[in-house]
Amino acid sequence: MTETGAQPTTTTGEEMHSLVERLYPLCRSITGDGVRATLDIVGEYIPLRVHEVPTGTQVLDWTVPQEWNIRDAYIADSTGHRIVDFAASSLHVLGYSVPMSATMPLAELRAHLHTLPDHPSWVPYRTSYYKPEWGFCLAQDTLDAMPDGDYEVRVDSTLADGHLTYAEHVVPGQVADEVIVSCHVCHPSLANDNLAGIAVAAFLARALAAQKPWYTYRFIFAPGTIGAITWLARNAERVERVRHGLVLACAGDPGPLTYKQSRRGDAEIDQVMRHVLTASERPHRVTEFTPYGYDERQYCSPGFDLGVGSLTRTPYAGYPEYHTSADNLDFVSPEAMADTLAVCREAFAVLDRNRRYVNLSPYGEPQLGRRGLYDSLGGRSDAQQAQMAMLWVLSLSDGEHSLLDVAERSGLAFDTVAAASDALHGAGLIKA
Amino acid sequence: MTETGAQPTTTTGEEMHSLVERLYPLCRSITGDGVRATLDIVGEYIPLRVHEVPTGTQVLDWTVPQEWNIRDAYIADSTGHRIVDFAASSLHVLGYSVPMSATMPLAELRAHLHTLPDHPSWVPYRTSYYKPEWGFCLAQDTLDAMPDGDYEVRVDSTLADGHLTYAEHVVPGQVADEVIVSCHVCHPSLANDNLAGIAVAAFLARALAAQKPWYTYRFIFAPGTIGAITWLARNAERVERVRHGLVLACAGDPGPLTYKQSRRGDAEIDQVMRHVLTASERPHRVTEFTPYGYDERQYCSPGFDLGVGSLTRTPYAGYPEYHTSADNLDFVSPEAMADTLAVCREAFAVLDRNRRYVNLSPYGEPQLGRRGLYDSLGGRSDAQQAQMAMLWVLSLSDGEHSLLDVAERSGLAFDTVAAASDALHGAGLIKA
Amino acid sequence: MTETGAQPTTTTGEEMHSLVERLYPLCRSITGDGVRATLDIVGEYIPLRVHEVPTGTQVLDWTVPQEWNIRDAYIADSTGHRIVDFAASSLHVLGYSVPMSATMPLAELRAHLHTLPDHPSWVPYRTSYYKPEWGFCLAQDTLDAMPDGDYEVRVDSTLADGHLTYAEHVVPGQVADEVIVSCHVCHPSLANDNLAGIAVAAFLARALAAQKPWYTYRFIFAPGTIGAITWLARNAERVERVRHGLVLACAGDPGPLTYKQSRRGDAEIDQVMRHVLTASERPHRVTEFTPYGYDERQYCSPGFDLGVGSLTRTPYAGYPEYHTSADNLDFVSPEAMADTLAVCREAFAVLDRNRRYVNLSPYGEPQLGRRGLYDSLGGRSDAQQAQMAMLWVLSLSDGEHSLLDVAERSGLAFDTVAAASDALHGAGLIKA
């Protein structure tokens, strides 16, 4: 499907889907044991450093909330039959529901029930993080079948001082400059949003570790919004070293890839992603930054304004299954996740080699022949490309043009340009 | 017809047309009592401060000329019948004609007669301000009907030291920074060029005064070229405070609106006018600056280079009736003038609220919920727009982007963005 | 065909073709007597200053090579019949062939024979400047007709310390700032590449000398690559004075003109060439810079980065006859060379008059009438254009816009704008 990625590795796709399957039943939220259990499982794939930040900690403009944990929740009819049961799906309870236990008539209960009338068999996903509330999410069909009368309602949850949990995994590079890859881990049983993103991130980290990358790659697994804000608040100095970044979400649905540019729009990651998506000839979309979506909102807030874009397949809220029980294990495929992973690898392969060089022999062309730079070439066609690439690198290596700039201006493949720069660097004709 | 202006107020359109009707018969020129009479009438609508600048005053590269006044002018045949009579139309005499009285054969008279052979029933408008000359303008049909023979010719005019007259009206604002609105008052009985412009300016001033605008709005009613130059020469310090401006002309013809950009092309008034004309979905044209036309020539001369554009319906010299007796009371309509006025009001409503803010909480998103900024929202659809507008304003408030920039980048209505900025400003999250 | 150049002068075209005919038989290379003989002939048209640079001289990253001269070379069959003979065409010997004399079987000889199987009747052009080698170029048809057996092979050449030869011709201007015109003189019997370029350059120099140009125009006749590098190495101070330049090559083939922009892409020569080619309504192409082609590679190397473009008809390697015996006297026409010359003259006529002026009366419009600047105008249509041109020059003369910028922005002809600037300069209203 792509030059460097070839046919997405079905094996890896299956492995990622297996990880999604393991994570799917857990009840995640912005705090609590569901996040910890998730990170435990991811930790079996890549080593994670887990951080616990106490309730009440000031993080930028926000405060770490109380920790929420839930053991059971249900609506039972007068016979004791559980009509809506948290044990069947973590979506059934409103996220961050306060504990409650009561018997009440359906008329009173209705104000706490959330359904999707347009998709009567689907269960919606709803939360109320910062306003104390309780509630249940259920299929409209289920609600329609509930006779009037009294129901036993119970939410066995705890809201108490505790911690917010997030984790990091670092692939060390040759330089301290960092690339961050961030994905949210706060959604309960939703496969595309964001278990697929978590799985792709984990396998991307494994792939990078097998190389010896230039940049240090930091993977952040954190609850949406408050988690990214917490990371930013606790890493003021590290943020200075973040050169590029990518927020990964909705990585497994059947739609084409969508790259949402950073707030700057001209960040290097933007150029790299545009280039790789175009060069790979995949159907794809590139969109402008909007201050809405996932945690690029935080990384690109004007005070930080990091060069962080967001890669999804179908973007935020762009598919009917979004934030419903239909975002399930069938909605994400091994092939789609493998394709997302392949593009990430292609992009980081470019990003990681993309440098600005300075021609050390800038007056006239240096004599390549006596340095053996023509002899080193193989077949005629390749040789011509390699020679042209050397001339282009020499011409544009003025400290302003990157190798990707050279590739785009010359129309040569990035790999050819990078190889030429290696040869010229080896001959002492350019310096980084 | 537009969101904010709705259906142009027919009443106002009729009032403006009435003003045009009153001004129409007067014989205006770049100096003289016709200008004074015009300003007297306009002064009944908005208070004017009238300036009289003596003949011989040096103004920039020019000198205020002698004042011209005319009492009578005619061509009479041998029976004493007036074939061409200034009393019938002020257009009949060449503007600034020197006094003369003679009897001469038609053959000799012809050199002083101006007609429009292509429009044989129309009377052209001609002047000779800076070269002493006398002449008459008449219909080709009239000329064709004149038999050979002697004619009595008389121009009872005065060219003498006196004054150049112009007037100002100021709508005070909250800041001393000024917006100027300028229109020429030197053309005789031509309705579109520029009595319609004068009428729209007067009613625009009244409308602005009813608000408490941010900027101070200065309306300049001055003879073309020499009048604008005189104002600029006498207001060197004030010019420093002019932030934006608009030259109003040809405001009543049936053509679509045309906005001619300032010399800079990227002045804020240019962006505002482009935005408002596009957002209003009126048919319209936006053209590049040319150093020809009306007094934008002076305001945009490179030494001043003010952010002053020009709004007309059909532009300068762009219609056959231009500078002829066909530019009469029928050529301008209440509807067209009301539409021009509406666009001016819409544009100034945007210009007046357009600010650059700085996000005071730029690291991550501020928590809008605890400040009640979500609660303040009404219906769901509006609420989403308002929330998006707040996020956009926060994202782009880096001191570089104006609210109009935010509106254009987000695709949200300016009013929605401005309301969001008010809410954020009220919450102390942004500062101007 | 063009406003200023009119129908290309057939006479001049014929004269240029005659020069090409005289130069055609000579065996040129990057050094040696063929270059000297070529410069002797060109010197009959325009005076040349010839430079001789000794073998071994360090020039930038390169070293002047040994001088190559050749007296005779052939392949003869067993009967002594010369099957391939240098006397018939200078293309028959591999450029810079080392001396050799031997008898060898065809099987052994083949490794030193170069043909064009796709064009079996054409003789290719090949060289081996920096790798000691000998060889012959011949038609595939000739080779096919050679029976197996022994052949006498002889190259009577000399490779010895000597000199590299190049020449300059200077058309003095009013200022020391220079425009360079460079063409390569190292190719043997190839008419388009580059005898046509040499001929156009020589006649361009003559035409310029007949005027009194503003810039000093320097014509460089030098071997490709090493010659341009030698000139650059020996003229470090002069390079500082080079403002613009043009590399001339492939100036006589039947294809449309192609202008290849400088590395900068926004150099003044780029704007001038784009303007002149477009305004002349000739079919033409404008291409981006590539670090391949002719000596623009050296002039535009990043250390120099001169504003030097390249004008050809069909560009480098863009036609089948390129570097073959089919690039002969029939391939270049008087008409094509005359057309190339005409465009160069038109372009330099613009370049030479293109200035940035400063309006000395920038506040408001200066009063043109009292300076007689309206009176100086002829017929009404011309007068309007001239008046508009004066207003445009006054409006844009802020030290940033050139006259060509004024022409392009106003849509007026460059000549009209330049004439207006002369009038305004004469009136003391603008200064350079």
Side-chain angles (χ1 to χ4, degrees):
Chain A
M1 193 174 281
T2 71
E3 280 188 9
T4 59
Q7 192 66 20
T9 322
T10 309
T11 312
T12 306
E14 298 290 353
E15 286 180 291
M16 289 190 284
H17 201 273
S18 297
L19 173 52
V20 170
E21 288 168 38
R22 291 180 65 192
L23 299 174
Y24 185 70
L26 300 172
C27 181
R28 281 161 294 274
S29 188
I30 54 175
T31 62
D33 290 333
V35 174
R36 290 187 189 96
T38 297
L39 298 177
D40 280 350
I41 292 172
V42 173
E44 296 175 23
Y45 293 76
I46 51 171
L48 291 182
R49 180 170 173 201
V50 177
H51 302 262
E52 297 279 357
V53 184
T55 296
T57 305
Q58 188 70 21
V59 286
L60 303 180
D61 190 60
W62 302 60
T63 306
V64 172
Q66 287 198 312
E67 183 176 326
W68 183 67
N69 283 293
I70 182 160
R71 288 158 296 278
D72 194 9
Y74 60 85
I75 301 171
D77 63 18
S78 55
T79 71
H81 174 64
R82 291 189 176 195
I83 293 160
V84 177
D85 191 352
F86 170 73
S89 167
S90 66
L91 294 178
H92 277 313
V93 72
L94 178 81
Y96 258 64
S97 273
V98 295
M100 76 90 56
S101 182
T103 298
M104 62 180 71
L106 181 57
E108 190 179 332
L109 180 55
R110 277 185 190 275
H112 298 269
L113 301 184
H114 304 273
T115 63
L116 293 167
D118 289 346
H119 295 283
S121 66
W122 295 357
V123 178
Y125 164 54
R126 295 280 186 279
T127 65
S128 183
Y129 296 137
Y130 296 99
K131 188 173 160 192
E133 188 75 69
W134 65 267
F136 287 86
C137 299
L138 64 161
Q140 181 69 40
D141 289 343
T142 306
L143 177 57
D144 291 346
M146 286 168 71
D148 282 342
D150 279 357
Y151 289 88
E152 185 193 354
V153 181
R154 183 169 157 77
V155 178
D156 180 14
S157 67
T158 316
L159 260 171
D161 284 358
H163 295 83
L164 175 143
T165 311
Y166 72 87
E168 296 175 284
H169 169 81
V170 173
V171 180
Q174 298 171 47
V175 294
D177 291 343
E178 293 200 354
V179 179
I180 58 171
V181 178
S182 179
C183 49
H184 61 284
V185 296
C186 53
H187 284 185
S189 302
L190 299 171
N192 196 41
D193 182 14
N194 190 29
L195 303 180
I198 295 168
V200 169
F203 280 77
L204 178 58
R206 289 224 296 212
L208 283 167
Q211 301 151 11
K212 172 85 182 158
W214 177 257
Y215 289 113
T216 294
Y217 287 80
R218 180 173 305 270
F219 289 76
I220 302 169
F221 299 90
T225 307
I226 187 70
I229 283 169
T230 299
W231 186 87
L232 285 163
R234 289 162 53 96
N235 289 278
E237 284 184 35
R238 174 155 292 131
V239 166
E240 302 285 316
R241 300 207 299 266
V242 173
R243 294 288 164 269
H244 322 283
L246 200 60
V247 170
L248 266 179
C250 302
D253 70 74
L257 285 156
T258 302
Y259 177 68
K260 172 180 164 181
Q261 299 184 112
S262 75
R263 178 179 177 278
R264 298 180 199 166
D266 63 352
E268 192 172 325
I269 187 74
D270 299 325
Q271 186 190 13
V272 166
M273 289 302 309
R274 287 190 306 254
H275 178 84
V276 165
L277 286 167
T278 303
S280 78
E281 299 186 356
R282 285 172 170 86
H284 70 274
R285 278 183 298 178
V286 174
T287 64
E288 296 291 319
F289 179 76
T290 62
Y292 209 59
Y294 295 105
D295 284 327
E296 66 276 10
R297 293 164 68 162
Q298 311 308 327
Y299 300 119
C300 296
S301 57
F304 295 115
D305 202 17
L306 297 176
V308 173
S310 168
L311 184 69
T312 60
R313 301 196 72 86
T314 306
Y316 186 89
Y319 46 95
E321 298 85 353
Y322 174 79
H323 278 196
T324 77
S325 57
D327 180 0
N328 59 24
L329 293 171
D330 294 335
F331 187 58
V332 299
S333 71
E335 292 72 22
M337 284 190 278
D339 184 57
T340 307
L341 176 62
V343 162
C344 291
R345 293 187 63 180
E346 290 167 40
F348 286 177
V350 170
L351 183 68
D352 210 62
R353 297 180 81 188
N354 196 27
R355 303 269 186 293
R356 282 168 170 71
Y357 287 100
V358 174
N359 182 340
L360 297 172
S361 183
Y363 294 98
E365 288 173 16
Q367 198 179 1
L368 299 178
R370 75 171 149 88
R371 291 178 174 87
L373 289 174
Y374 285 146
D375 302 348
S376 66
L377 316 174
R380 185 173 167 79
S381 152
D382 282 347
Q384 278 191 334
Q385 295 258 309
Q387 183 187 343
M388 285 306 297
M390 278 192 275
L391 293 174
W392 274 108
V393 171
L394 287 167
S395 179
L396 294 181
S397 286
D398 51 11
E400 289 183 19
H401 295 88
S402 71
L403 294 182
L404 184 52
D405 293 335
V406 176
E408 297 198 329
R409 187 151 160 186
S410 67
L412 296 165
F414 180 84
D415 284 349
T416 306
V417 170
S421 76
D422 288 344
L424 293 169
H425 192 256
L429 285 169
I430 59 175
K431 70 169 181 182
Chain B
M1 194 175 278
T2 71
E3 280 188 9
T4 59
Q7 192 67 17
T9 323
T10 309
T11 312
T12 306
E14 299 290 352
E15 286 180 291
M16 289 190 284
H17 201 273
S18 297
L19 173 52
V20 170
E21 287 168 39
R22 292 180 65 191
L23 299 173
Y24 186 70
L26 300 172
C27 180
R28 281 163 293 274
S29 187
I30 54 174
T31 62
D33 290 333
V35 174
R36 290 188 190 97
T38 297
L39 298 177
D40 281 349
I41 292 172
V42 173
E44 296 176 22
Y45 293 76
I46 50 171
L48 293 182
R49 180 170 173 200
V50 177
H51 303 261
E52 298 279 355
V53 184
T55 296
T57 304
Q58 188 71 23
V59 286
L60 303 178
D61 190 61
W62 301 60
T63 306
V64 172
Q66 287 197 311
E67 182 176 325
W68 183 67
N69 283 292
I70 182 161
R71 288 158 295 277
D72 194 9
Y74 59 86
I75 301 171
D77 64 18
S78 55
T79 72
H81 174 64
R82 291 188 176 196
I83 294 159
V84 177
D85 191 352
F86 170 74
S89 167
S90 66
L91 294 177
H92 278 313
V93 71
L94 177 81
Y96 258 65
S97 273
V98 295
M100 77 91 56
S101 181
T103 299
M104 63 179 71
L106 181 58
E108 190 179 331
L109 180 56
R110 277 184 190 277
H112 299 269
L113 301 183
H114 305 273
T115 64
L116 292 167
D118 290 347
H119 294 284
S121 66
W122 295 358
V123 179
Y125 164 53
R126 295 279 185 278
T127 65
S128 183
Y129 296 137
Y130 296 99
K131 188 174 160 192
E133 189 75 71
W134 64 268
F136 287 86
C137 300
L138 65 161
Q140 181 70 39
D141 290 342
T142 306
L143 178 56
D144 291 345
M146 286 167 71
D148 283 342
D150 280 357
Y151 289 88
E152 185 195 352
V153 181
R154 183 170 158 78
V155 178
D156 179 14
S157 66
T158 317
L159 261 170
D161 284 359
H163 295 82
L164 176 143
T165 311
Y166 70 87
E168 297 175 285
H169 169 80
V170 174
V171 179
Q174 299 172 47
V175 294
D177 292 344
E178 293 199 358
V179 179
I180 58 171
V181 179
S182 179
C183 50
H184 60 286
V185 296
C186 51
H187 284 186
S189 301
L190 299 170
N192 195 41
D193 180 15
N194 190 31
L195 303 180
I198 294 168
V200 169
F203 280 78
L204 178 58
R206 288 223 298 211
L208 284 167
Q211 301 150 11
K212 172 86 180 160
W214 177 256
Y215 290 113
T216 294
Y217 287 80
R218 179 174 305 270
F219 289 77
I220 301 169
F221 299 91
T225 306
I226 186 70
I229 283 169
T230 300
W231 185 87
L232 285 163
R234 289 162 54 95
N235 289 278
E237 283 184 35
R238 174 154 293 131
V239 166
E240 302 285 317
R241 299 207 299 266
V242 173
R243 294 287 163 270
H244 322 284
L246 200 60
V247 169
L248 266 180
C250 301
D253 70 75
L257 285 155
T258 302
Y259 177 70
K260 172 179 163 181
Q261 299 185 110
S262 75
R263 178 180 178 276
R264 299 180 198 165
D266 63 352
E268 192 172 325
I269 187 73
D270 299 325
Q271 185 190 13
V272 166
M273 289 301 310
R274 288 189 307 254
H275 177 84
V276 165
L277 286 167
T278 303
S280 77
E281 299 187 356
R282 285 173 170 86
H284 69 275
R285 277 184 299 178
V286 174
T287 64
E288 296 291 319
F289 179 77
T290 63
Y292 210 60
Y294 295 105
D295 284 327
E296 66 275 11
R297 291 164 69 161
Q298 310 309 328
Y299 300 118
C300 296
S301 57
F304 295 115
D305 201 18
L306 298 176
V308 173
S310 168
L311 184 68
T312 60
R313 302 196 72 85
T314 306
Y316 187 89
Y319 46 96
E321 298 84 353
Y322 173 78
H323 277 196
T324 77
S325 56
D327 180 359
N328 59 25
L329 292 170
D330 294 335
F331 187 59
V332 299
S333 71
E335 292 72 24
M337 284 189 279
D339 184 57
T340 307
L341 176 62
V343 162
C344 291
R345 293 187 62 180
E346 290 167 40
F348 287 176
V350 171
L351 182 69
D352 211 61
R353 298 180 81 186
N354 196 27
R355 302 269 186 292
R356 282 168 170 72
Y357 286 99
V358 175
N359 182 341
L360 297 172
S361 182
Y363 295 98
E365 288 173 16
Q367 198 178 2
L368 299 179
R370 76 170 148 87
R371 291 179 175 86
L373 289 174
Y374 284 146
D375 301 348
S376 66
L377 316 173
R380 183 173 168 80
S381 152
D382 282 347
Q384 277 190 335
Q385 295 258 310
Q387 182 187 344
M388 284 307 296
M390 279 191 274
L391 293 174
W392 274 108
V393 171
L394 287 167
S395 180
L396 294 181
S397 286
D398 50 11
E400 290 184 17
H401 295 88
S402 71
L403 294 182
L404 184 52
D405 293 336
V406 175
E408 297 198 329
R409 187 151 161 186
S410 67
L412 296 165
F414 180 84
D415 284 350
T416 306
V417 170
S421 76
D422 288 344
L424 293 169
H425 192 257
L429 284 169
I430 58 175
K431 71 169 180 183
Chain C
M1 194 174 281
T2 71
E3 280 189 7
T4 59
Q7 192 67 19
T9 323
T10 309
T11 313
T12 306
E14 298 291 351
E15 286 180 292
M16 289 190 283
H17 201 273
S18 297
L19 172 52
V20 170
E21 288 168 39
R22 292 180 66 191
L23 299 173
Y24 186 69
L26 299 173
C27 180
R28 281 161 293 274
S29 186
I30 54 174
T31 63
D33 290 334
V35 174
R36 290 188 190 96
T38 298
L39 298 177
D40 280 350
I41 293 171
V42 174
E44 296 175 21
Y45 293 76
I46 51 171
L48 291 183
R49 180 171 173 198
V50 178
H51 302 261
E52 297 278 357
V53 183
T55 296
T57 303
Q58 187 70 23
V59 284
L60 303 179
D61 190 60
W62 301 60
T63 306
V64 172
Q66 288 197 310
E67 182 176 326
W68 183 66
N69 282 292
I70 182 160
R71 288 158 296 278
D72 195 7
Y74 59 85
I75 301 171
D77 63 18
S78 56
T79 72
H81 174 66
R82 292 189 174 194
I83 293 160
V84 177
D85 191 352
F86 169 73
S89 168
S90 65
L91 294 177
H92 277 313
V93 73
L94 178 81
Y96 257 64
S97 272
V98 295
M100 76 89 54
S101 182
T103 298
M104 61 180 69
L106 181 58
E108 190 178 330
L109 180 56
R110 276 185 190 276
H112 297 270
L113 301 183
H114 304 274
T115 65
L116 292 167
D118 290 346
H119 294 284
S121 66
W122 294 358
V123 179
Y125 164 55
R126 295 279 187 277
T127 65
S128 183
Y129 296 137
Y130 296 98
K131 188 173 160 193
E133 188 74 69
W134 64 268
F136 287 86
C137 299
L138 65 161
Q140 182 69 40
D141 289 342
T142 306
L143 178 57
D144 291 344
M146 286 168 69
D148 283 343
D150 279 357
Y151 289 88
E152 185 193 352
V153 180
R154 183 168 158 76
V155 178
D156 179 15
S157 68
T158 316
L159 260 171
D161 284 0
H163 296 82
L164 176 143
T165 311
Y166 71 87
E168 297 175 284
H169 169 81
V170 174
V171 179
Q174 298 171 49
V175 294
D177 292 343
E178 293 200 355
V179 179
I180 58 171
V181 178
S182 179
C183 49
H184 60 285
V185 296
C186 52
H187 284 185
S189 302
L190 299 170
N192 196 41
D193 182 14
N194 189 28
L195 303 180
I198 293 168
V200 169
F203 280 77
L204 178 59
R206 289 222 297 210
L208 284 167
Q211 301 150 10
K212 172 86 181 159
W214 177 256
Y215 290 113
T216 294
Y217 286 79
R218 179 174 305 270
F219 289 77
I220 302 169
F221 299 90
T225 305
I226 186 70
I229 282 169
T230 299
W231 185 87
L232 284 163
R234 289 162 54 95
N235 289 279
E237 282 184 38
R238 173 154 292 131
V239 166
E240 302 285 317
R241 299 207 299 266
V242 173
R243 294 289 163 270
H244 321 284
L246 200 59
V247 170
L248 266 180
C250 302
D253 70 74
L257 284 157
T258 302
Y259 177 69
K260 171 179 163 181
Q261 298 184 113
S262 75
R263 177 179 178 277
R264 298 181 200 166
D266 63 351
E268 192 172 324
I269 187 74
D270 299 325
Q271 185 190 12
V272 166
M273 289 301 309
R274 287 190 306 254
H275 177 84
V276 165
L277 286 167
T278 302
S280 78
E281 299 187 357
R282 287 172 169 86
H284 70 274
R285 279 184 296 179
V286 174
T287 64
E288 296 292 317
F289 179 77
T290 62
Y292 209 59
Y294 295 105
D295 284 327
E296 65 275 11
R297 292 164 69 161
Q298 311 308 327
Y299 300 118
C300 296
S301 57
F304 295 115
D305 201 18
L306 297 177
V308 173
S310 168
L311 184 69
T312 60
R313 301 196 73 86
T314 306
Y316 187 90
Y319 46 95
E321 298 85 353
Y322 173 79
H323 277 197
T324 77
S325 57
D327 179 359
N328 58 25
L329 292 170
D330 293 335
F331 187 59
V332 299
S333 71
E335 291 72 23
M337 284 189 279
D339 184 57
T340 306
L341 176 62
V343 163
C344 291
R345 293 186 63 179
E346 289 167 41
F348 286 178
V350 171
L351 183 68
D352 211 61
R353 298 179 82 187
N354 196 26
R355 302 267 186 294
R356 281 167 171 74
Y357 287 99
V358 174
N359 182 341
L360 296 172
S361 183
Y363 295 97
E365 289 173 16
Q367 198 179 2
L368 299 178
R370 75 171 149 89
R371 291 175 175 88
L373 289 174
Y374 285 146
D375 302 347
S376 67
L377 315 174
R380 183 171 168 82
S381 151
D382 283 347
Q384 278 190 335
Q385 295 257 310
Q387 182 187 345
M388 285 306 297
M390 278 190 277
L391 292 174
W392 274 107
V393 171
L394 287 166
S395 180
L396 294 180
S397 287
D398 50 12
E400 290 184 19
H401 295 88
S402 70
L403 294 183
L404 184 52
D405 293 334
V406 176
E408 297 198 329
R409 187 151 160 187
S410 66
L412 296 165
F414 180 84
D415 284 350
T416 305
V417 170
S421 77
D422 289 345
L424 293 168
H425 192 256
L429 284 169
I430 59 175
K431 71 170 181 182

